[in-house]
Amino acid sequence: ETGVTQTPRHLVMGMTNKKSLKCEQHLGHNAMYWYKQSAKKPLELMFVYSLEERVENNSVPSRFSPECPNSSHLFLHLHTLQPEDSALYLCASSQVDYGGGYTFGSGTRLTVV
Amino acid sequence: QKEVEQDPGPLSVPEGAIVSLNCTYSNSAFQYFMWYRQYSRKGPELLMYTYSSGNKEDGRFTAQVDKSSKYISLFIRDSQPSDSATYLCAFRTGRRALTFGSGTRLQVQP
């Protein structure tokens, strides 16, 4: 497999559930990102991992918890979410010292009921 | 003032038309300028990437950057129905993460 792969593609969860989103990149990149995409709003940066160290956390509520066990894998652990957390969650990767763009996965469409 | 302004559209054009998509920005520290295309139910894919003011051409696509006016554009010539998507402008400063516009939805009618 090539590129950035996200699983699951769709997720419906209740407000009391705990679930995890998974992202895997096969590009040899050393930085990974979580973004949230809501309708009619810009992509919102949530977390940045550079060389497996979290370097940015954009005031994201603690009900979202990232994990980066190695440079190829990134998780987003979810617990006690709110309906307003329903969105498309996108993972991306890049080379940290390269000024270019990111490679995105296809995203996980999350619905909180 | 928002850091990036992008008209959300939708923009509807007939097949074969020239399309112009634009973004304005306020952060003069932005060094890298990008356009992403996002099809429905897919993640964004990098379409064009520029570093300096001026034009960059790739097939039917031309990216234009005017740093003095803090304005970037994407032109699509001979637009096709397959170009129907949401187009996102994106900006980067050094090692900082990308800053995105909200996207313009384009519909090319056959």
Side-chain angles (χ1 to χ4, degrees), chain A residues 9 33 35 37 41-43 45 48 56 88 90 96-102 104-106, chain B residues 32 34 36 38 41-46 49 88 92 94-102:
Chain A
R9 292 296 307 275
Y33 313 82
Y35 277 87
Q37 188 175 36
K41 292 172 80 173
L43 282 160
L45 179 66
V48 180
E56 202 159 333
L88 181 67
L90 289 161
V96 70
D97 285 324
Y98 170 55
Y102 300 165
F104 282 87
S106 292
Chain B
Y32 306 96
M34 285 154 262
Y36 281 80
Q38 185 174 20
R41 289 185 286 279
K42 294 280 191 180
E45 57 176 327
L46 183 63
Y49 162 80
L88 304 156
R92 187 169 183 179
R95 288 187 169 198
R96 296 290 308 275
L98 293 181
T99 300
F100 285 88
S102 54

Side-chain angles (χ1 to χ4, degrees), chain A residues 33-37 41-48 56 58 92 94 99-102 104, chain B residues 1-6 22-36 44 46 48-50 72 87-103:
Chain A
Y33 313 82
W34 280 116
Y35 277 87
K36 177 183 178 182
Q37 188 175 36
K41 292 172 80 173
L43 282 160
E44 300 173 52
L45 179 66
M46 299 177 74
F47 301 104
V48 180
E56 202 159 333
N58 267 9
S94 76
Y102 300 165
F104 282 87
Chain B
Q1 183 188 8
K2 285 184 184 176
E3 201 167 26
V4 177
E5 298 271 5
Q6 183 175 13
N22 312 294
C23 285
T24 58
Y25 62 96
S26 59
N27 188 345
S28 56
F30 285 147
Q31 298 172 285
Y32 306 96
F33 308 90
M34 285 154 262
W35 286 95
Y36 281 80
L46 183 63
M48 298 287 283
Y49 162 80
T50 56
I72 70 170
Y87 290 80
L88 304 156
C89 56
F91 304 82
R92 187 169 183 179
T93 304
R95 288 187 169 198
R96 296 290 308 275
L98 293 181
T99 300
F100 285 88
S102 54

